[in-house]
């Protein structure tokens, strides 16, 4: 018992028409302070005739309209969803390394196989962080979701609008083929894409930890493509574009600034290789987990326009480059020493 207050206007089975329907209207779940946790305008589940006659109300498809879901983090930094805590009391250090070896769809594989066809229209997802009271809620609006089934195949499409002052939208697309083995969880293989459009980096600072060294910039697009094999991410492609970017930083007393009118990059490799390099980028050297294995090389392509680099220690005058383009790959040996090979470079 967690004290949520649940109300609904009606819940009834509609036997008219070819397919019976279970219809729920005006569902509201509130916490003890009457703050909304979930509201649903209407949910309609199409029922299987054979199972319905046996009083087994299992839906073959569900449509939900006007769904509004709220999640939060309280002053003790505990994360809550629908009155249930999602995190634990285990001590954490910030930031933490991502462990590519432990990423898997297996905990969700049974659920994905059992879900009926699902559509969500006119929804919103809201996040409130009590540790950032000045920020207010971060709300994804115009949320839509479509999950279709065709035998053991699942196709997912979801999208939502970012807050107007932050950016445009976020989208998720996926296509997975399931393989069911007796006494084992279903194994899914296929592709998953996550994309973000037109994100104003500084406008997101009230809700996210944006480094102070970033002085301006717009993320025109960011796309992550995952190849999944038997529930495990196998390949990964990261592509992004930055516009009007400026970074000012220093190393000891050595100050420098770098800016670009536009920058586009693309990285592709195994999932583990990309995550390992991401950990190296975001973690201090002494916090990178030791690893003496080798991984597939990371392929890269980058182009920049309007590059400006000011570094009084390295250059007497600021360096300006109208346009540059590079492509190649880099890899690490067992001592984790990097080696870069360039296939193309032009300035």
């Amino acid at each position: 018992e967690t004290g949520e207050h649940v109300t609904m206007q009606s819940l009834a089975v509609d036997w008219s028409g070819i397919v019976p329907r279970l219809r729920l209207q005006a569902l509201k779940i509130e916490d003890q302070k009457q703050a909304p946790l979930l509201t649903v305008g209407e949910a309609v589940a199409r029922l299987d005739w054979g199972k319905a006659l046996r009083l087994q109300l299992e839906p073959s498809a569900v449509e939900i309209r006007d769904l509004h879901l709220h999640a939060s983090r309280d002053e003790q930094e505990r994360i809550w969803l629908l009155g249930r805590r999602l995190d634990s009391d285990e001590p954490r250090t910030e930031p933490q390394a991502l462990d590519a070896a432990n990423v898997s769809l297996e905990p969700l594989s049974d659920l994905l196989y059992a879900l009926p066809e699902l559509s969500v229209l006119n929804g919103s997802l809201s996040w409130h962080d009590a540790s950032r009271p000045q920020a207010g809620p971060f709300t994804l609006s115009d949320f839509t979701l479509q999950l279709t089934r065709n035998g053991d195949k699942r196709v997912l499409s979801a999208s939502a609008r970012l807050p107007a002052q932050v950016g445009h939208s976020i989208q998720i697309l996926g296509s997975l083929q399931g393989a069911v083995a007796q006494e084992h969880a279903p194994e899914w293989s296929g592709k998953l894409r996550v994309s973000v459009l037109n994100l104003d980096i500084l406008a997101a600072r009230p809700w996210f930890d944006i480094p102070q060294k970033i002085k301006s910039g717009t993320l025109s697009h960011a796309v992550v493509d995952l190849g999944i094999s038997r529930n495990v991410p196998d390949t990964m492609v990261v592509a992004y574009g930055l516009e009007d970017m400026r970074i000012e930083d220093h190393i000891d007393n050595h100050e420098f600034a770098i800016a670009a009118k536009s920058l586009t990059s693309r990285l592709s490799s195994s999932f583990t290789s990309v995550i390992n390099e991401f950990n190296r980028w975001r973690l201090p050297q002494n916090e990178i987990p030791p690893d003496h294995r080798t991984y597939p090389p990371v392929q890269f392509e980058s182009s920049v326009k309007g590059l400006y680099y000011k570094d009084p220690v390295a250059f007497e005058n600021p360096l300006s480059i109208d346009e540059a383009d590079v492509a190649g790959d880099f890899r690490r040996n067992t001592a984790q020493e990097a080696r870069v090979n360039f296939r193309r470079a032009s300035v």
Side-chain angles (χ1 to χ4, degrees), residues 122-167:
N122 192 32
S124 69
L125 308 173
S126 185
W127 165 258
H128 182 264
D129 190 343
S131 66
R132 301 171 185 259
Q134 75 287 351
F138 185 89
T139 300
L140 299 176
S141 59
D142 294 336
F143 172 67
T144 63
L145 181 146
Q146 189 79 35
L147 175 67
T148 61
R149 299 165 52 111
N150 184 4
D152 292 336
K153 184 178 182 179
R154 305 291 183 270
V155 177
L156 172 68
S157 173
S159 65
R161 287 192 174 275
L162 295 167
Q165 71 272 31
V166 175

Side-chain angles (χ1 to χ4, degrees), residues 279-291:
N279 284 333
R280 290 182 175 277
W281 171 74
R282 64 191 290 269
L283 294 175
Q285 185 67 31
N286 62 345
E287 293 185 17
I288 298 174
D291 191 347

Side-chain angles (χ1 to χ4, degrees), residues 48-59:
D48 180 272
W49 257 115
K51 293 182 178 180
L53 292 175
R54 298 194 299 270
L55 300 182
Q56 297 175 358
L57 301 182
E58 295 183 14

Side-chain angles (χ1 to χ4, degrees), residues 104 119 191 193 231:
S104 172
S119 63
K191 296 181 179 180
R193 165 173 286 192
N231 287 340

Side-chain angles (χ1 to χ4, degrees), residues 266-270 272-278 280-281 294-302 327-333 336-343:
R266 184 179 187 273
L267 304 174
S268 61
S269 187
S270 71
T272 302
S273 293
V274 175
I275 293 300
N276 286 349
E277 293 305 321
F278 177 71
R280 290 182 175 277
W281 171 74
T294 59
Y295 297 97
V298 177
Q299 311 289 330
F300 66 85
E301 298 178 17
S302 294
D329 65 75
F330 62 87
R331 66 189 71 204
R332 296 185 184 274
N333 58 22
Q336 299 305 301
E337 298 168 330
R339 178 180 177 182
V340 180
N341 297 311
F342 289 99
R343 297 192 311 272

Side-chain angles (χ1 to χ4, degrees), residues 2 16 54 67 69 140 163 168 199 214 246 281 291 313 338:
T2 55
S16 63
R54 298 194 299 270
L67 177 147
L69 180 63
L140 299 176
H168 185 269
L199 176 69
I214 298 179
R246 182 177 180 88
W281 171 74
D291 191 347
V313 174

